[in-house]
Amino acid sequence: MSVDPAGLFSQFCRASRAASNLEDLVVKCPPALESEAERLQALSDYGLHGDRPLPSLDSVVQIAAKVFGMPVAAVNLVGDDHVFFAASTGFEGQRVDMRRDVSFCAHAIAKNEVMVVPDATRDARFYDNPLVTGFSGVRFYAGVPLYSPGGLPLGALCVLDSVPHFDFSDDDRARLSDLAQMACDRLELRRLEHSTERAKRPFDDGARASPTAVVWFDESLRVMAWNKAAAAIFGYMPADGPGRMVLSFLADDHRDAVAQLVANAAVAGTADGLVVPEGLEGLRKDGSEFPLGVALFCWIDQGKLTFHAHLQDLSDRHAQSAELRRLATTDLLTALVNRATLYRRMEEAVTEAAGAALLIIDIDGFKEVNDTLGPAVGDAVLREAARRLVESASSLSTVARTGGDEFAVLIPAAPSHAESMAVARRIVDSLADPITVNGQDIHITVCCGLATAPQDAHEALELFSNADLALFKAKSFGRSQVYAYVADLRMEAAARRLYSIELHRAVSEGEFVLFYQPQVKLSDGSLRGAEALIRWQHPQRGLLSPAAFLPALETGPLAAMVGFWVLDEACAQAALWRRNGATPFRMGVNLFGAQFRANDMVREVAATLQRHGLPPDALELEITENIVLDEDDLVLGVLQKLRDMGVSIAFDDFGTGYASLSLLKKYPLSRLKIDRSFVQNAPDSERDRAVVRAILDMARGFGLETVAEGIETEAQRDYLKSVACEEGQGYLFSRPVSACEFSEAFGLQSAPSVARLA
């Protein structure tokens, strides 16, 4: 009789609802998936159950608990009516209700995203769930589905806490998804291993029902008979077998082991309990060897012991297994090892006394290459980058592609810090040479983060995480940078996470304020406008500059909200100053990339200008190269509409990036802001003067205005005047100050904050 797992599960839920006498349990019971039967079949391929966890997942749940500061983390696999732990931490000594109808993870597998429950007591699905009301006391849950290679959800990686959390950010969701991918990689290895275990039993029911090669022989190992299938395996005719010695069909190295096996069976009178040696090699008539599967049986026939062996040519199976392992361990595009293989080798390397060094390499601005030249060219660039990495690394190193445009190099027997840095620099330099694709030279640069074990880490995931933090730091300095991990990076990451939590309070309590730095006409010193700059009036740490919190803010979920508040506050202040003598007056506002993805950017700007009675030319929106490259097509369309409206568009930090020249042709800019790094030494450095002159010439050629940032001395101002730079800002004129101080300095009327950010 066939069984429908999905139907059984539906019956189970109905029974649970009846037993609990809760009318609303219908919406709480996790849904049976349409693919439930296929999902359960896929789950069985892993050979896991409640009494057979997967130790390789222990480090994943431990790092998940550590990264998110949660007391409990688990990999739950969802069966037909129960869930079970493949790995867990924090449940020790607890009795946990593992029924599927109360499982959070059974809900999570129905979603193709991270499922977050900030407070289970406030969630209609879970407020009276036994895991919430009972001993476990679950209040917070975040879980992400784990998928089979065929895309079927097997279970979920989750973190839990007995207190609610409303600060689980998009960045946290991404980290949990990354850890889920690690878990999937290790589950896939388990599936392959289980497949291999099953393959060791060559004669299951399916094999017995198919044409099988069989040889009959006596205890002297002489062939009595064989069938056509057996003869074909060895390349003989059926008549060639009888009378030959069985051992003649085996490779020399395996004959003694088989002879001993048959002798033991003859003594025992049975083959039961005897194990056929693994890795047997058959010998064909033409002298070629091949992997041979053997199942041995014997019985007494007319007082004589008779053997028969079921044989199987395993060549195809071995080839398929090898191909499966290759697919599971190799990146198909570059032929480098993949992330799962890298982790295994890292785990081996960190246990060695000699340690290891790990380099993580990321291509700068690769999205622009892909978007501009097409994915085929992008793939060619990645393949060439992989080739150069292998060429630059030592023969003992493992070079891997870990995803997208990111690579890693694992150096065993870690060299000294100086030698590791030299390898990193050699890799960065090797990728700076042009890559030729279809006759076209393509220039790329890379950044590299470096960490070593045991100095920086004692566990593979920690080593990878530390190298990744070093890469993040390297990229903050610009292109072609190398940075080695130091303990302060972990503290900075913790600070970013802390700030990410506190930013929610800052928004609700209105702790953000705006400061303004004047922009003046260099020819006569007259006020032309101001740049609005955000500050955080922290209740414990005092007034914080953007450097302390902007990285956490601009990559978090509050970026768009705060960005539009800055726009509204700055426009309100500009309108007041224009009504009180500052006419004309232009307000510069920096944009976050998130603002282009949230709401309708053009409509928001238009509504803000109308609300405060400002003409479009009174507003200048500042963008950076990172915003442009991250959201290229979307940003271009929005900026063109804003420029058509009459709003000015300024390109900030011009000259520090590598895509700046192409952006001048493509984007509807009105002004270039010359970066302070070129202004500071311009009076004394011919190179910096040459850069400034080149930027001014380009600006004039494109019909753009210019403003120089970071002017601190009269010599800098005088030089910029001499080369006809129109405007400037910097400490020579004023530091960023509050609206009140700005008004007093320039004889304007200030206004209280026009809106509380909430």
Side-chain angles (χ1 to χ4, degrees), residues 475-755:
K475 293 182 77 68
S476 72
F477 291 120
R479 299 182 178 234
S480 300
Q481 300 296 314
V482 176
Y483 200 88
Y485 174 81
V486 291
D488 287 349
L489 295 183
R490 180 64 59 188
M491 297 173 63
E492 289 178 14
R496 284 196 300 272
R497 178 168 173 79
L498 177 62
Y499 277 139
S500 179
I501 296 171
E502 291 188 331
L503 284 171
H504 287 78
R505 187 206 65 235
V507 168
S508 62
E509 298 298 324
E511 295 173 6
F512 290 119
V513 296
L514 291 188
F515 275 38
Y516 302 90
Q517 187 171 40
Q519 295 174 335
V520 304
K521 188 174 181 180
L522 293 180
S523 61
D524 59 13
S526 61
L527 180 66
R528 298 300 301 273
E531 180 181 0
L533 300 164
I534 192 170
R535 298 290 187 268
W536 183 359
Q537 188 63 59
H538 195 284
Q540 284 82 42
R541 299 179 180 86
L543 189 67
L544 300 179
S545 70
F549 63 88
L550 213 54
L553 175 60
E554 63 187 357
T555 58
L558 300 174
M561 180 190 299
V562 174
F564 286 123
W565 172 81
V566 171
L567 175 68
D568 190 72
E569 180 88 349
C571 285
Q573 188 64 67
L576 181 69
W577 282 335
R578 285 173 68 95
R579 289 195 298 269
N580 289 274
T583 304
F585 183 90
R586 181 186 67 247
M587 180 63 74
V589 176
N590 294 278
L591 295 178
F592 293 131
Q595 289 175 265
F596 290 89
R597 302 187 297 273
N599 304 329
D600 185 329
M601 179 74 165
V602 177
R603 184 180 301 172
E604 288 279 355
V605 172
T608 302
L609 293 173
Q610 183 178 13
R611 183 163 55 249
H612 299 295
L614 277 180
D617 62 2
L619 176 63
E620 183 167 84
L621 300 175
E622 298 189 12
I623 60 170
T624 62
E625 184 176 299
N626 287 339
I627 291 177
V628 171
L629 295 181
D630 289 345
E631 302 289 344
D632 188 26
D633 293 336
L634 174 62
V635 171
L636 178 59
V638 171
L639 293 181
Q640 187 61 63
K641 292 178 181 178
L642 290 170
R643 191 74 190 94
D644 292 343
M645 186 193 301
V647 174
S648 297
I649 308 295
F651 193 29
D652 200 7
D653 301 331
F654 187 80
T656 59
Y658 284 77
S660 301
L661 296 179
S662 63
L663 295 178
L664 290 183
K665 295 177 58 178
K666 188 174 183 181
Y667 281 82
L669 304 175
S670 54
R671 186 184 311 276
L672 299 182
K673 300 192 73 175
I674 303 174
D675 188 70
R676 62 184 298 116
S677 61
F678 303 116
V679 171
Q680 299 246 316
N681 299 318
D684 305 313
S685 168
E686 177 54 37
R687 289 188 175 184
D688 285 336
R689 288 199 297 272
V691 171
V692 171
R693 289 195 301 269
I695 293 174
L696 291 170
D697 287 342
M698 283 188 291
R700 295 186 191 105
F702 283 97
L704 305 177
E705 297 180 344
T706 52
V707 57
E709 299 180 290
I711 301 175
E712 298 180 357
T713 67
E714 292 182 357
Q716 293 167 356
R717 179 198 60 193
D718 293 343
Y719 169 72
L720 291 164
K721 282 174 59 177
S722 71
V723 291
C725 179
E726 293 100 338
E727 296 180 16
Q729 67 183 86
Y731 287 2
L732 177 64
F733 311 112
S734 173
R735 293 173 177 269
V737 294
S738 67
C740 182
E741 292 174 289
F742 192 100
S743 300
E744 291 177 359
F746 293 96
L748 304 171
Q749 180 180 333
S750 62
S753 179
V754 296

Side-chain angles (χ1 to χ4, degrees), residues 86-167:
S88 67
T89 182
F91 280 119
E92 294 79 4
Q94 294 189 31
R95 294 185 61 185
V96 182
D97 191 335
M98 303 299 285
R99 289 176 297 164
R100 177 169 170 172
D101 68 323
V102 301
S103 169
F104 284 65
C105 289
H107 286 267
I109 66 170
K111 298 179 176 294
N112 190 27
E113 59 184 0
V114 180
M115 185 181 92
V116 178
V117 181
D119 187 350
T121 63
R122 301 183 185 181
D123 193 303
R125 296 168 296 177
F126 304 113
Y127 72 94
D128 56 356
N129 187 297
L131 295 176
V132 178
T133 61
F135 178 79
S136 299
V138 174
R139 292 288 297 276
F140 172 80
Y141 172 92
V144 58
L146 305 174
Y147 293 99
S148 72
L152 296 167
L154 307 170
L157 168 67
C158 63
V159 291
L160 305 96
D161 203 346
S162 57
V163 297
H165 293 277
F166 296 94
D167 53 2

